[in-house]
């Protein structure tokens, strides 16, 4: 799947981050992982989110076992690229340069990240 079927909500992005980090998982495993950063998150909420994400095409679901296994339908880099393209078009009038400058000027990039970016730019020269 190369195109973004539907843009994930912030809560859905949180579930995707957990699944990208852990790999395919049951709702119980995703819930356990979510508790590390969100102790108030209950199992029913996680299960409902995963089911909705599956119906939207954001997740695939292996139903061959009693406990269904959920996995992202799109690789992390592919989804991030699609979301970034949309952000650049909507918020930065199609300018990747404007996005990068806003990130650099806005204090969103640490000194370490700046050094990594500079090293990457130096490689291209």
């Amino acid at each position: 799947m190369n195109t973004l079927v539907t843009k994930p909500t912030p809560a859905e992005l949180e579930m995707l981050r957990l699944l990208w980090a852990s790999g395919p998982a049951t709702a119980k495993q995703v819930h356990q992982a979510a508790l590390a950063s969100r102790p108030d998150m209950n199992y029913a909420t996680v299960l409902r989110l995963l089911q909705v994400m599956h119906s939207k095409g954001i997740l695939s679901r292996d139903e061959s076992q009693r406990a269904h296994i959920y996995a992202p339908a799109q690789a992390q880099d592919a989804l991030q690229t699609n979301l970034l393209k949309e952000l650049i078009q909507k918020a930065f009038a199609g300018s990747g340069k404007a996005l990068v400058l806003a990130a650099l000027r806005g204090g969103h990039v640490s000194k370490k990240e700046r050094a990594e970016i500079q090293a990457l730019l130096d490689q291209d020269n």
Side-chain angles (χ1 to χ4, degrees), residues 29 47-48 52 65 70-71 78 118:
Q29 291 167 326
L47 178 60
R48 188 168 37 257
V52 167
Q65 299 178 27
Y70 292 89
Q118 187 61 56

Side-chain angles (χ1 to χ4, degrees), residues 55-78:
S55 70
K56 289 177 163 183
I58 297 170
L59 296 180
S60 63
R61 181 172 64 195
D62 177 355
E63 300 175 5
S64 64
Q65 299 178 27
R66 186 172 185 275
H68 297 168
I69 307 291
Y70 292 89
Q74 216 174 10
Q76 183 175 5
D77 59 343

Side-chain angles (χ1 to χ4, degrees), residues 25 60 82 94 101 110:
S60 63
N82 285 331
L101 292 174
S110 70

Side-chain angles (χ1 to χ4, degrees), residues 24-86:
T26 64
K28 182 178 180 179
Q29 291 167 326
V30 174
H31 177 245
Q32 287 298 314
L35 289 175
S37 61
R38 298 268 312 270
D40 60 326
M41 179 75 75
N42 66 49
Y43 174 78
T45 301
V46 170
L47 178 60
R48 188 168 37 257
L49 264 171
L50 295 175
Q51 290 170 335
V52 167
M53 292 170 72
H54 175 256
S55 70
K56 289 177 163 183
I58 297 170
L59 296 180
S60 63
R61 181 172 64 195
D62 177 355
E63 300 175 5
S64 64
Q65 299 178 27
R66 186 172 185 275
H68 297 168
I69 307 291
Y70 292 89
Q74 216 174 10
Q76 183 175 5
D77 59 343
L79 179 67
Q80 288 172 337
T81 297
N82 285 331
L83 291 172
L84 187 59
K85 284 178 186 175
E86 183 180 332

